[in-house]
Amino acid sequence: MSPEALATQSLHLSELAPRTLQSEIRAMTVACDNMGGVNLAQGVCDTDPPPIVAEAAQRAIRDGYNIYTRLDGIARLRNAVAAQLARTHSLTVDPDREILITSGATGAFQAALCALLNPGDEVLIFEPFYGYHAGMLRGVRAVPVPVALAAPIAPESEWQLDPVAVRAAITPRTRAMIVCTPSNPAGKIYTLPELESLAAIAEEHNLFVFTDEIYEHFVYEGRNHISPASLPGLRERTILISGFSKTFSVTGWRVGYVVADPKWIPSIGYFHDLLYICAPSPFQHACADGVEQLSSSFYTALAQEHLAKRTLLVDGLRTAGLTPHVPDGAYYILANTGSLEGANAAEKSRNLLARTGVASVAGSAFFRPGSPVGENLLRFCFAKKDQDLHEACRRLATLS
Ligand code: PLP
């Protein structure tokens, strides 16, 4: 029985359930696995974790760190995150009052949205957006309000924030905005002037700024990640969210964090406790070892390694006739669908999978329903082992 039909039975699903379906990304992953293809759809990041971190996890399990931790996470990891924020963003953060270790960035979002939003509150999200942001907002009965970024006019240029469009989207119900930088899917790194204009708008309209900085270390060709909380006036209203899934290639470990003013952290922590109790204990220890022991050269090498992967896939997509937008950060490429057949991006993506065995995500997954821009885009992930990227490029070349 369909979710719509189930919702009308006497024992029924919630009102939200019929609109909360398997994401197109998961669906493509299943279709790709079924045909033994190369999965560039999901941001699973199947490169190896740093050995220091992987070994620390095994040691932590052997040493007995297998039980619940404090609800705000282990002190060693909170201290390490605070030290890193001071080093990289000159942010002074009290590890006992302003940091909460969470079940991934996703758990951080869930808890923060529960603690800070009411049903009907409107939250600005910049389009193209990460589908989970919109989905999680709907999950707490808040209303995601997409504000379109101006599309790049050339493959090498950037998606741009239009402050006039941001202001135009604000209503008396607007309570917050989500700034994902570097962004998924566009790889956009918000510039200082863009963040300053968002800061001015947030202050003027008294908005929370939820950030998603999970790709903070994936920045290319001299681009710099600016943490919005480091801007004057934004610290108190910013809920900084990040984590280790991507940086340490440990998406299955579920360790992230929130940094926020001491006014907000306790409530966010109580919701996180209700939803998850704590992030997995041995993996908190392992991430602490990573943050404490890996020097800046690890992060530089991470970015360089992914820049090489980006180059490989950009070239492969160009050869295939799918014009890629070259991202400044994160590890996804949005590419034009070229001459692929299909009435919409989902069909084009399935067509590409059938013809080449390469899985991508339909661009429409990152735009509001009915937006034409996403229907001509596909998203490809390049956080893959080099051998898989070479194989994907070989397969894509058969299109040309
Ligand atoms: N935020 C963004 C923008 C992402 O792309 C992803 C994963 O793809 C996540 C958060 C998930 O982070 P975590 O694994 O820490 O929950």
Side-chain angles (χ1 to χ4, degrees):
M1 198 180 287
S2 73
E4 288 83 357
L6 269 174
T8 60
Q9 299 288 298
S10 51
L11 275 179
H12 56 76
L13 294 170
S14 73
E15 283 166 16
L16 280 180
R19 288 189 290 137
T20 306
L21 300 172
Q22 176 176 249
S23 80
E24 184 59 18
I25 302 177
R26 302 284 177 279
M28 280 309 281
T29 296
V30 172
C32 180
D33 285 350
N34 287 345
M35 68 175 296
V38 186
N39 188 0
L40 303 189
Q42 202 174 347
V44 284
C45 186
D46 54 14
T47 48
D48 291 325
I52 286 180
V53 174
E55 282 151 24
Q58 293 168 26
R59 199 171 50 245
I61 291 172
R62 279 200 306 274
D63 289 352
Y65 293 114
N66 300 305
I67 55 171
Y68 301 138
T69 67
R70 256 171 64 155
L71 76 81
D72 54 353
I74 63 167
R76 198 155 69 82
L77 184 53
R78 282 183 282 109
N79 290 335
V81 169
Q84 189 174 51
L85 287 167
R87 260 192 326 271
T88 52
H89 298 298
S90 306
L91 274 173
T92 308
V93 173
D94 179 345
D96 291 326
R97 297 169 69 233
E98 296 180 297
I99 301 186
L100 174 73
I101 304 300
T102 57
S103 176
T106 309
F109 261 106
Q110 286 290 355
L113 301 184
C114 288
L116 303 174
L117 296 181
N118 287 319
D121 284 348
E122 294 179 4
V123 178
L124 308 181
I125 55 174
F126 302 116
E127 183 187 56
F129 50 78
Y130 172 54
Y132 267 56
H133 290 156
M136 287 188 286
L137 286 168
R138 284 193 290 264
V140 296
R141 266 75 171 175
V143 182
V145 177
V147 178
L149 296 170
I153 38 179
E156 307 289 344
S157 56
E158 291 154 25
W159 294 81
Q160 284 186 355
L161 183 83
D162 174 3
V164 177
V166 180
R167 284 180 189 280
I170 290 177
T171 75
R173 304 227 56 157
T174 311
R175 277 271 286 162
M177 59 174 78
I178 296 181
V179 182
C180 182
T181 183
S183 82
N184 173 7
K188 175 179 174 57
I189 298 178
Y190 285 73
T191 61
L192 186 58
E194 284 176 326
L195 292 175
E196 282 170 345
S197 67
L198 289 178
I201 294 169
E203 282 192 271
E204 204 176 306
H205 294 275
N206 204 16
L207 308 178
F208 279 114
V209 178
F210 295 95
T211 72
D212 185 336
E213 304 177 44
I214 193 92
Y215 297 105
E216 60 191 306
H217 299 293
F218 297 84
V219 292
Y220 310 120
E221 296 180 306
R223 291 300 308 269
N224 209 4
H225 167 63
I226 303 168
S227 188
S230 64
L231 268 73
L234 272 195
R235 180 73 166 80
E236 184 202 2
R237 61 183 66 254
T238 298
I239 313 299
L240 184 166
I241 291 174
S242 192
F244 304 101
S245 284
K246 314 290 176 171
T247 309
F248 292 160
S249 302
V250 290
T251 51
W253 282 13
R254 316 309 306 132
V255 188
Y257 56 89
V258 183
V259 178
D261 190 273
K263 280 199 287 294
W264 320 124
I265 283 287
S267 291
I268 301 174
Y270 303 144
F271 276 104
H272 186 267
D273 182 27
L274 280 178
L275 292 163
Y276 302 99
I277 302 204
C278 64
S281 168
F283 300 140
Q284 292 192 46
H285 285 272
C287 290
D289 275 56
V291 183
E292 283 167 358
Q293 292 177 41
L294 292 167
S295 64
S296 62
S297 62
F298 164 78
Y299 299 96
T300 312
L302 182 73
Q304 270 163 1
E305 189 191 327
H306 283 79
L307 174 62
K309 291 178 191 296
R310 185 191 78 171
T311 306
L312 193 64
L313 190 56
V314 162
D315 290 348
L317 291 165
R318 282 193 179 132
T319 307
L322 305 173
T323 315
H325 297 284
V326 183
D328 289 328
Y331 50 55
Y332 305 96
I333 298 174
L334 286 172
N336 281 96
T337 49
S339 58
L340 283 172
E341 281 168 20
N344 52 39
E347 279 185 30
K348 290 173 195 176
S349 156
R350 283 182 190 272
N351 191 356
L352 180 69
L353 180 64
R355 283 178 64 188
T356 64
V358 175
S360 58
V361 185
S364 45
F366 310 102
F367 291 81
R368 72 196 89 179
S371 164
V373 189
E375 300 299 355
N376 288 315
L377 293 172
L378 298 178
R379 192 199 74 174
F380 297 85
C381 172
F382 59 84
K384 296 280 158 188
K385 296 201 162 84
D386 284 352
Q387 74 223 40
D388 293 334
L389 286 176
H390 282 293
E391 176 59 15
C393 291
R394 190 191 64 72
R395 289 168 178 244
L396 287 169
T398 60
L399 277 182
S400 54

